[in-house]
Amino acid sequence: MSSLAAGLTRPFALPRLAWWWAPASLVVAAVTWPAGSLSTSALDAYWPVGLHLAAQEGLAPGRDVVFTYGPLAFLAFPVLVGTATAIAAFAFTAAVHLALVVVVLRTTAKRLPWPAALTCAVVAGAAPVPAADAPVLLVLAVCLASLADDTRVHLSRLALGGGALAALELLVKVNDGLVCLVLLALTVWRSRRASLLLAAGFLASFAALWRVAGGRYGDLGTWARLSLHLLASYAQGMALRGPVRDLELSALLLVALAAIAVAQTRTLPRLRGLATWLSLACFGFAFFKEGFVREDAAHETVFFAAFAVALLVVDWVEPEVRLCALLLAAIALHGPGGSADAAGETALGVVAAWLAARTFGRRRILIVLAPVAVAAGLVFEHGLAALPASPSVSAVANEARLLASASQRGAMLAGERSDVRRREPLTAAMLASLRGHTVDVEPYGATIAWGYGLDWRPEGVVESYAAYDPALDSYAARTLTAQRILQLPWSGIDDHNALWQAPALVLAELCDYRVAAGDPSGATVLARTPSRCGSRHRLGTAYARLGVWLSVPKAAHSIVYASIAVHTTLANTVRSLVLRPAEVRIDARGTGGGTFGVVPATATDGLVLRLPHDRSLPQPAGGTAIARFRLTGAPSARVTFYALPLH
């Protein structure tokens, strides 16, 4: 065949530019750069600033702090809180973003012409996959490539490099690190040498990175134990229900993924095919839990974006399977409630249409009209998504210049802190009481401590709602050692009662701190004092059945609280493992009453129901005097009332 004929046959081939993917990846990564302006004001929560502060202040993981992320989690949030952590976060984000683009581009270029491969790379780079989750996709891609072809990736190199990356990811985001380890184990099991290298690479890297994170080896056991508690209790502590249709769409996508995974593995040897299917199942389940335990737009978007990109990093061998993967990725990019990337969705649809015509020919193009129609129907059912604004290439250069210039960094830090002080004003009396002391900000407010330059010493779970079970609650109370607490107006996450969020921590605050200053907004400064609480005594025990009201006993000048042991069922335990447990709520009547969500595990630590009228006692505005309450969502519970006298 002549060169001209070959060119007509493959009009998009680049035979002399085998390296074209390298500059193309750099351009795509710059065009789809995910970071913002390094500004803390762009964050929708305080805890990422707390992660940076914990690293800067030298708070030791396990001894001082434990959070749902790891001690190196600040790497996934490139904001300017301090120079060293901001530069490290910028470098980490840039590295994983570029690596993801490279993997997608090189994978898709093996089966698609370069314009289609570039389209897929741009879509993957623009997908809102958090930097903390991107390494899982990289490990998934390399592991599946190795399982598909033993000669493609050398198992020894994969084991060593993958072990190091899994160790880093474990310290960035614990659950993702464990997923990486499972994926790698499923890949290298067929080689004893590779399995040993994986263990050695992981352990050696983890030991070194643990020291880099400021950890002491003596605290490693505490950190590991509490991190497992965080993972095991997250579903009951952070459950939030959302639109049912998004959950249904995710379930359909997972079923479709299982189906094309079977098609992908039918040509592989049995055990390698099983390992491939289990790897995809592990990935799908992990991100399903991440996206739908808290069924809000932010978490759901992570699932849909990661699902779409995962379909692009896999080298689907058969054209029909590749077509299905592109269509599923387009549907996934539609996202929760029709709020995701319309441009990427459309682009993948165009690529899928081209692939369909190329695969089936014009006479058989009607075969693919049915799935395309289904995809289009889903799109229009949820409504067309708005086209998101894409960050320009100049954003990368601007952030790099800012981090490289000491004067620009200083000016930005001063401006950011000034903005915090303007948004969260404190009176002169409150500031005077806080200066010169270690300070915790409750229930969450690391950004405020940073904005005012306070000596931040949080309780151990960083933000009190993260005490999801008694072990974490006890740890939070035990690590509450700050000399001052800046108590913001009492508020709980979602619809929880602030006094019932981390009950052991709340009791420690009530007993060991007194009001020292306040302002009209309801914020107060609490000063640490010798404990004012005496020995508790039991007031009585009752058995609460669903919907039955219980009266709360009184006790003179005492804190009255109830330890509630909610009876659970096997079905509810299974629900918690698969997704999330049934919701338990308390309907309370009296001062400070209402209907509140409850974390059943920590309810045994004691929910405060009555507080005496004492101006020095920290408590919500208006006081707390619950007269009666009832449970909903639980079949029954054993309720023990206690009184804690105040000196």
Side-chain angles (χ1 to χ4, degrees), residues 205-240:
S205 300
F206 185 86
L209 291 170
W210 179 257
R211 294 296 295 167
V212 171
R216 301 187 306 180
Y217 293 129
D219 299 324
L220 185 54
T222 301
W223 176 82
R225 177 177 60 84
L226 292 175
S227 293
L228 291 177
H229 275 276
L230 284 165
L231 293 179
S233 58
Y234 180 85
Q236 68 166 339
M238 296 295 288
L240 182 67

Side-chain angles (χ1 to χ4, degrees), residues 100-480:
L100 194 58
V101 169
V102 168
V103 167
V104 172
L105 187 56
R106 297 207 66 182
T107 299
T108 54
K110 294 171 186 174
R111 311 287 179 182
L112 300 174
W114 66 265
L118 274 177
T119 300
C120 292
V122 170
V123 169
V129 177
D133 296 316
V136 179
L137 293 165
L138 299 176
V139 171
L140 177 69
V142 178
C143 288
L144 292 183
S146 177
L147 287 167
D149 185 355
D150 270 331
T151 64
R152 187 174 300 177
V153 178
H154 196 280
L155 280 181
S156 297
R157 293 197 300 270
L158 172 63
L160 280 174
L165 181 57
L168 175 61
E169 184 68 355
L170 189 69
L171 292 172
V172 171
K173 193 173 183 182
V174 178
N175 58 319
D176 281 352
L178 294 176
V179 172
C180 288
L181 274 177
V182 172
L183 295 176
L184 289 163
L186 287 170
T187 303
V188 305
W189 62 268
R190 57 193 188 275
S191 168
R192 182 179 179 183
R193 181 172 183 270
S195 299
L196 293 174
L197 286 174
L198 172 61
F202 171 78
L203 292 174
S205 300
F206 185 86
L209 291 170
W210 179 257
R211 294 296 295 167
V212 171
R216 301 187 306 180
Y217 293 129
D219 299 324
L220 185 54
T222 301
W223 176 82
R225 177 177 60 84
L226 292 175
S227 293
L228 291 177
H229 275 276
L230 284 165
L231 293 179
S233 58
Y234 180 85
Q236 68 166 339
M238 296 295 288
L240 182 67
R241 285 146 186 83
V244 175
R245 65 182 183 181
D246 293 335
L247 187 61
E248 292 174 343
L249 176 59
S250 68
L252 290 173
L253 288 173
L254 289 174
V255 170
L257 176 62
I260 63 173
V262 171
Q264 174 79 350
T265 59
R266 63 187 176 186
T267 59
L268 295 176
R270 180 184 301 175
L271 292 179
R272 279 168 50 201
L274 178 61
T276 298
W277 193 90
L278 289 175
S279 296
L280 287 168
C282 174
F283 164 83
F285 178 71
F287 278 86
F288 175 72
K289 288 276 286 189
E290 180 170 346
F292 290 94
V293 167
R294 281 190 68 76
E295 215 170 333
D296 55 21
H299 288 83
E300 288 183 12
T301 297
V302 172
F303 166 79
F304 287 111
F307 185 92
V309 176
L311 291 169
L312 299 179
V313 301
V314 178
D315 183 16
W316 305 104
V317 178
E318 298 186 14
E320 295 86 355
V321 177
R322 200 177 315 133
L323 173 62
C324 290
L326 286 170
L327 289 173
L328 288 175
I331 294 171
L333 280 175
H334 186 63
S339 61
D341 187 358
E345 187 180 354
T346 305
L348 289 184
V350 172
V351 173
W354 174 89
L355 181 61
R358 184 73 176 265
T359 302
F360 300 111
R362 294 182 180 178
R363 293 182 180 180
R364 300 177 64 189
I365 193 65
L366 290 176
I367 297 176
V368 300
L369 287 183
V372 170
V374 171
L378 286 169
V379 169
F380 284 99
E381 177 191 356
H382 293 295
L384 286 174
L387 180 66
S390 299
S392 65
V393 177
S394 62
V396 185
N398 291 339
E399 292 179 28
R401 279 196 300 269
L402 189 150
L403 291 174
S405 171
S407 60
Q408 290 187 44
R409 290 197 309 271
M412 183 174 180
L413 282 170
E416 291 282 297
R417 284 176 163 157
S418 177
D419 287 343
V420 172
R421 294 192 293 270
R422 184 169 58 254
R423 294 195 308 266
E424 305 284 352
L426 299 178
T427 66
M430 295 174 72
L431 279 175
S433 181
L434 294 171
R435 298 290 186 194
H437 301 282
T438 55
V439 178
D440 183 20
V441 185
E442 290 294 337
Y444 28 77
T447 302
I448 298 174
W450 172 72
Y452 282 93
L454 303 175
D455 187 2
W456 185 59
R457 288 296 180 274
E459 38 75 19
V461 294
V462 181
E463 296 187 342
S464 59
Y465 64 82
Y468 309 136
D469 71 5
L472 295 167
D473 195 13
S474 174
Y475 174 75
R478 189 170 66 253
T479 53
L480 181 63

Side-chain angles (χ1 to χ4, degrees), residues 432-441 455 457 480-487 513-514 516 525-529:
S433 181
L434 294 171
R435 298 290 186 194
H437 301 282
T438 55
V439 178
D440 183 20
V441 185
D455 187 2
R457 288 296 180 274
L480 181 63
T481 59
Q483 297 164 327
R484 297 288 187 272
I485 294 178
L486 175 58
Q487 178 64 60
Y513 290 84
R514 294 174 184 264
V525 174
L526 312 179
R528 190 173 185 87
T529 61

Side-chain angles (χ1 to χ4, degrees), residues 547-575:
V548 176
W549 290 94
L550 293 181
S551 297
V552 179
K554 299 179 180 180
H557 201 60
S558 299
I559 300 171
V560 176
Y561 66 91
S563 174
I564 303 177
V566 177
H567 297 160
T568 188
T569 62
L570 178 60
N572 198 43
T573 302
V574 172
R575 284 187 57 175

